[in-house]
């Protein structure tokens, strides 16, 4: 049993090293596909937020927004970074689950017989279902949460949903693209059957996402309030 596990682990590490070596010669060719798909997902989510914001009843409780209704400080970035780190971790986990399901589990199953083989086969199928469920859960919950926030902010600042969406683009586009990079890598790999590349893709997409999320949080805290002041008749 330990020998089989070691074989699966070593095979996965070989695939990951080989993937890094293959991508090293043309990194942009790989990354641009992830970026294009994550941008498409981000724009779809923003469109869903616009629709949901028009359907939900805004909260009339006065909003508290650093830089707009109260002074700002660097600590105001922490809640944003915390929420985004959870989402990124969820998407990264989904990407790793795709690697396990598509690349590792078939190898592990081939080393086993009987019930153990059946369990490993089913575990791989479950992991793929998990990734699909994570994708739907992430998109739907973010659309609902952001839609409610958008409805409330637009109502209280007396601006349209479209104008509000325009003000969030400078930080929302890079933020959402960074968050959805791991899922974009999973979708592309699953379509091509390149499951063995997903562990490498997880490392790269998360490493690319972290500095982008830091920059997006900075823009959200220090620039977005100024944009809202410029477009809102309340101020």
């Amino acid at each position: 049993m330990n020998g089989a596990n070691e074989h699966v682990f070593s095979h996965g590490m070989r695939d990951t090293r080989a993937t890094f070596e293959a991508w090293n010669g043309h990194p942009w060719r790989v990354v641009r596909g992830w970026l294009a798909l994550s941008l498409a997902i981000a724009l779809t989510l923003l469109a869903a937020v616009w629709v949901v914001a028009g359907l939900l009843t805004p909260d009339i409780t006065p909003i508290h927004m650093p830089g707009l209704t109260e002074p700002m400080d660097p600590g105001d970035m922490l809640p944003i970074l915390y929420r985004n780190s959870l989402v990124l971790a969820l998407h990264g986990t989904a990407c790793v689950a795709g690697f396990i399901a598509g690349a590792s589990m078939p190898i592990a199953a081939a080393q086993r017989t009987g019930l153990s083989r059946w369990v490993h086969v089913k575990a791989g199928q479950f992991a793929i279902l998990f990734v699909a469920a994570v994708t739907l859960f992430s998109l739907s919950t973010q659309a609902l949460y952001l839609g409610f926030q958008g409805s409330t902010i637009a109502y209280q600042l007396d601006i349209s949903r479209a104008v509000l969406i325009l003000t969030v683009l400078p930080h929302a586009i890079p933020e959402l693209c960074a968050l959805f990079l791991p899922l974009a890598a999973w979708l592309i790999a699953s379509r091509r059957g390149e499951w063995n590349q997903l562990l490498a893709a997880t490392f790269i997409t998360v490493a690319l996402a972290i500095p982008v999320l830091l920059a997006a949080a900075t823009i959200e805290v220090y620039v977005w309030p100024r944009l809202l002041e410029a477009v809102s008749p309340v101020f």
Side-chain angles (χ1 to χ4, degrees):
M1 188 69 70
N2 288 334
N5 290 334
E6 291 175 3
H7 173 70
V8 171
F9 177 78
S10 62
H11 194 279
M13 291 301 99
R14 283 199 303 270
D15 282 345
T16 301
R17 285 194 297 269
T19 300
F20 280 130
E21 292 171 0
W23 288 350
N24 190 49
H26 44 81
W28 174 242
R29 190 186 307 172
V30 178
V31 174
R32 70 185 180 189
W34 299 340
L35 287 174
L37 184 53
S38 62
L39 176 60
I41 297 173
L43 294 175
T44 301
L45 179 58
L46 287 173
V49 168
W50 179 81
V51 172
V52 171
L55 298 175
L56 297 179
T57 302
D59 187 357
I60 62 174
T61 304
I63 60 173
H64 296 281
M65 184 178 295
L68 193 66
T69 62
E70 57 193 66
M72 69 180 78
D73 64 67
D76 294 321
M77 295 172 55
L78 295 180
I80 300 170
L81 294 173
Y82 174 72
R83 290 194 301 268
N84 285 339
S85 66
L86 292 181
V87 176
L88 182 62
L90 181 66
H91 293 177
T93 300
C95 203
V96 173
F99 171 78
I100 294 172
S104 295
M105 281 300 176
I107 298 173
Q111 307 295 318
R112 291 166 169 81
T113 59
L115 179 61
S116 178
R117 178 185 178 88
W118 181 87
V119 168
H120 280 76
V121 170
K122 293 302 179 182
Q125 296 173 355
F126 175 77
I128 293 175
L129 291 176
F130 167 77
V131 173
V134 164
T135 303
L136 293 175
F137 173 79
S138 179
L139 287 171
S140 59
T141 54
Q142 289 188 71
L144 287 172
Y145 173 76
L146 296 175
F148 178 71
Q149 294 292 101
S151 174
T152 298
I153 294 172
Y155 173 77
Q156 296 200 21
L157 298 187
D158 195 21
I159 58 178
S160 68
R161 290 174 291 142
V163 169
L164 177 63
I165 292 294
L166 288 176
T167 66
V168 305
L169 291 181
H171 70 267
I173 290 295
E175 178 184 275
L176 293 175
C177 284
L179 289 176
F180 286 110
L181 269 181
L183 287 183
W186 182 89
L187 290 170
I188 292 174
S190 63
R191 186 186 65 193
R192 298 174 178 174
E194 297 171 341
W195 301 101
N196 60 326
Q197 298 182 359
L198 277 177
L199 190 58
T202 303
F203 292 134
I204 294 175
T205 54
V206 171
L208 291 173
I210 290 173
V212 175
L213 293 177
L214 287 170
T218 303
I219 296 172
E220 182 173 349
V221 170
Y222 290 98
V223 178
W224 187 37
R226 304 286 78 81
L227 296 177
L228 291 174
E229 282 183 339
V231 300
S232 172
V234 175
F235 296 95

